[in-house]
């Protein structure tokens, strides 16, 4: 019986060539699997046709946008996930979803292998393979670019020789990965970390300095999840798409950073995540109002750990899953509205209200009606400082003794 390989197919040069390349190397039938995570661009029927034209035995396309929004982007929002305090995990979130479908199709079709187009220098190979090991441990993974020396030159030559229907000349100088949560852009002139990003790197955002008038929006949350925009109820998918358009028009969510990859190298990355950055700004502000202080402090540590686990390809790990349970529990009272002003590349919170607020006007006010009993503060301050005071006394005695 002919072996089968399920290939994570993007429609681009590398994975188009990989279809024939893998078939030649392994003698297996290639099943191309394209997953729509909101990357935009070509429609999926075109992608499917190309896979077949490039020699795939069959091709499957899946619209996973709603699943990606609800099951991958929303948990990242609960975690206010920003790797190195800046990168909202765009690509790191889509890989575990793609892996889930790769594993499912491999198991359903009796395939013994899956394949991806990653190089050996990035994080995405780790995310694919570590995820696969958790979801389909008996399925072997192959990566032609990394494992069988499918270099760019060879890929172009292969495409020409086999007359594959791919336009190799229209390639961008950048390596771009896009989805609903954002857009990653690397390589080309960006590899000189002193060089400012050229205008052509941006795809999801307009120029923040264009001088557009400010726009106000209100996002409503229930248990940490966004449920309505300006009062209109919305699914996570609709919410993120809508905010990408609104905030993107104001140039919000542009990030230019040098990042620590899991494989040990630093790399320069340009990200755009207008919807994600706006949601994180609103969500974390509402948390400031609704989370008790110790819970909020501890949650920050959980957020960081969660983010690192996901960045490092451990979406399906036990610790990540346990932290998800914490995040859900911690978010129970994060309900209310946040108003933001979008302008000049920034989403600035200007108002917040919540039925579950821990902010208490009568405790906070300096006006009449103040319910805070200031006489309690005197003794509190004395006891609070007592350990330091005792230690400082001891240090003075020791200093006097040794003088
Ligand atoms: N450095 C980012 C990450 O590891 C983005 C990777 C983007 N992938 C790509 N093929 N351009 O999450």
């Amino acid at each position: 019986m002919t072996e089968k390989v399920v290939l994570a197919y993007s429609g681009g040069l590398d994975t188009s060539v990989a279809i024939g390349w893998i078939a030649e190397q392994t003698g297996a039938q290639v099943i191309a699997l394209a997953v729509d995570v909101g990357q935009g661009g070509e429609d999926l029927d075109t992608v499917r046709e190309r896979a077949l034209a490039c020699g795939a035995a069959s091709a499957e396309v899946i619209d996973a946008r709603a699943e990606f929004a609800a099951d991958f982007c929303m948990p990242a929002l609960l975690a206010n996930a920003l790797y190195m305090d800046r990168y909202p995990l765009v690509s790191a979130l889509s890989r575990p979803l793609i892996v889930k479908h790769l594993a499912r199709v491999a198991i359903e079709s009796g395939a013994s292998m899956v394949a991806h187009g990653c190089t050996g220098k990035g994080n995405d190979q780790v995310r694919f393979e570590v995820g696969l090991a958790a979801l389909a441990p008996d399925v072997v993974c192959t990566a032609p670019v990394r494992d069988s020396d499918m270099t760019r030159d060879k890929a172009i030559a292969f495409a020409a020789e086999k007359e594959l229907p791919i336009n190799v000349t229209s390639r961008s100088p950048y390596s771009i990965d896009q989805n609903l949560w954002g857009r990653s852009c690397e390589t080309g002139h960006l590899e000189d970390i002193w060089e400012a990003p050229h205008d052509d790197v941006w795809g999801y955002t307009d120029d923040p300095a264009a001088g557009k008038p400010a726009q106000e929006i209100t996002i409503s949350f229930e248990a940490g999840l966004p449920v309505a925009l300006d009062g209109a109820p919305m699914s996570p998918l609709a919410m993120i798409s809508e905010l990408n358009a609104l905030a993107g028009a104001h140039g919000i969510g542009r990030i230019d950073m040098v990042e620590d990859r899991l494989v040990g190298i630093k790399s320069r990355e340009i990200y755009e995540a207008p919807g994600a950055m706006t949601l994180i700004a609103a969500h974390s502000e509402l948390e400031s109002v609704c989370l008790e202080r110790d819970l909020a402090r501890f949650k920050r540590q959980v957020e960081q750990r969660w983010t690192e686990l996901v960045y490092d390809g451990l979406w399906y790990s036990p610790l990540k899953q346990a932290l998800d349970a914490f995040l859900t529990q911690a978010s129970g009272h994060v309900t209310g509205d946040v108003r933001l002003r979008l302008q000049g590349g920034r989403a600035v919170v200007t108002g917040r209200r919540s039925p579950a607020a821990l902010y208490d006007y009568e405790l906070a006010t300096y006006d009449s009606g103040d319910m805070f009993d200031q006489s309690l503060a005197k003794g509190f301050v004395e006891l609070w400082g007592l350990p330091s005071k005792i230690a400082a006394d001891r240090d003075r005695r020791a200093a006097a003794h040794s003088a």
Side-chain angles (χ1 to χ4, degrees), residues 204-218:
Y204 278 17
T205 54
D206 294 337
D207 182 0
K212 285 209 179 94
Q215 185 174 2
E216 254 185 16
I217 60 168
T218 300

Side-chain angles (χ1 to χ4, degrees), residues 206-390:
D206 294 337
D207 182 0
K212 285 209 179 94
Q215 185 174 2
E216 254 185 16
I217 60 168
T218 300
I219 306 176
S220 307
F221 291 86
E222 264 172 42
L225 299 174
V227 293
L229 180 60
D230 291 330
M234 247 174 235
S235 67
L237 171 58
M239 175 74 68
I240 301 165
S241 314
E242 192 70 20
L243 287 173
N244 276 338
L246 286 176
H250 292 276
I252 291 161
R254 289 187 173 187
I255 299 149
D256 175 353
M257 66 186 281
V258 174
E259 166 181 316
D260 287 317
R261 287 194 188 165
L262 177 58
V263 294
I265 51 185
K266 288 186 185 287
S267 65
R268 204 286 186 79
E269 311 269 346
I270 298 292
Y271 299 110
E272 292 166 279
M277 295 308 280
T278 303
L279 281 167
I280 291 172
H283 175 257
S284 51
E285 180 66 21
L286 189 60
E287 288 190 329
S288 305
V289 176
C290 300
L291 293 188
E292 179 275 331
R293 183 180 59 179
D294 273 321
L295 179 57
R297 285 183 181 175
F298 190 75
K299 182 171 182 290
R300 269 175 233 130
Q301 290 170 252
V302 172
E303 290 172 354
Q304 187 167 356
R305 195 72 189 93
W306 190 96
T307 303
E308 288 166 355
L309 289 166
V310 172
Y311 184 87
D312 291 347
L314 296 171
W315 181 273
Y316 295 105
S317 70
L319 178 55
K320 146 75 177 51
Q321 288 170 31
L323 297 184
D324 277 328
F326 172 88
L327 292 171
T328 300
Q329 164 73 27
S331 302
H333 292 295
V334 182
T335 294
D337 302 328
V338 179
R339 190 181 59 236
L340 304 106
R341 181 179 296 140
L342 311 181
Q343 190 179 30
R346 288 174 23 98
V348 179
V349 174
T350 60
R352 58 298 265 163
R353 65 183 170 199
S354 167
L358 299 176
Y359 174 83
D360 184 335
Y361 174 83
E362 292 184 335
L363 290 176
T365 185
Y366 285 91
D367 293 344
S368 57
D370 180 4
M371 298 291 287
F372 186 90
D373 182 351
Q374 298 203 32
S375 71
L376 294 175
K378 191 173 159 53
F380 165 76
V381 176
E382 217 159 287
L383 294 186
W384 178 249
L386 190 57
S388 300
K389 184 170 172 235
I390 296 170

Side-chain angles (χ1 to χ4, degrees), residues 47-101:
V47 172
R48 190 210 319 260
E49 294 300 317
R50 184 173 310 126
L52 295 171
C54 290
S58 65
E60 191 173 329
V61 294
I62 297 166
D63 179 356
R65 291 174 303 157
E67 180 188 12
F68 182 55
D71 299 346
F72 293 82
C73 302
M74 290 300 106
L77 178 60
L78 293 187
N80 298 311
L82 295 173
Y83 179 68
M84 296 175 79
D85 299 327
R86 301 182 70 194
Y87 165 45
L89 293 184
V90 174
S91 306
L93 292 176
S94 71
R95 298 311 186 263
L97 167 69
I98 297 168
V99 162
K100 189 178 154 192
H101 288 285

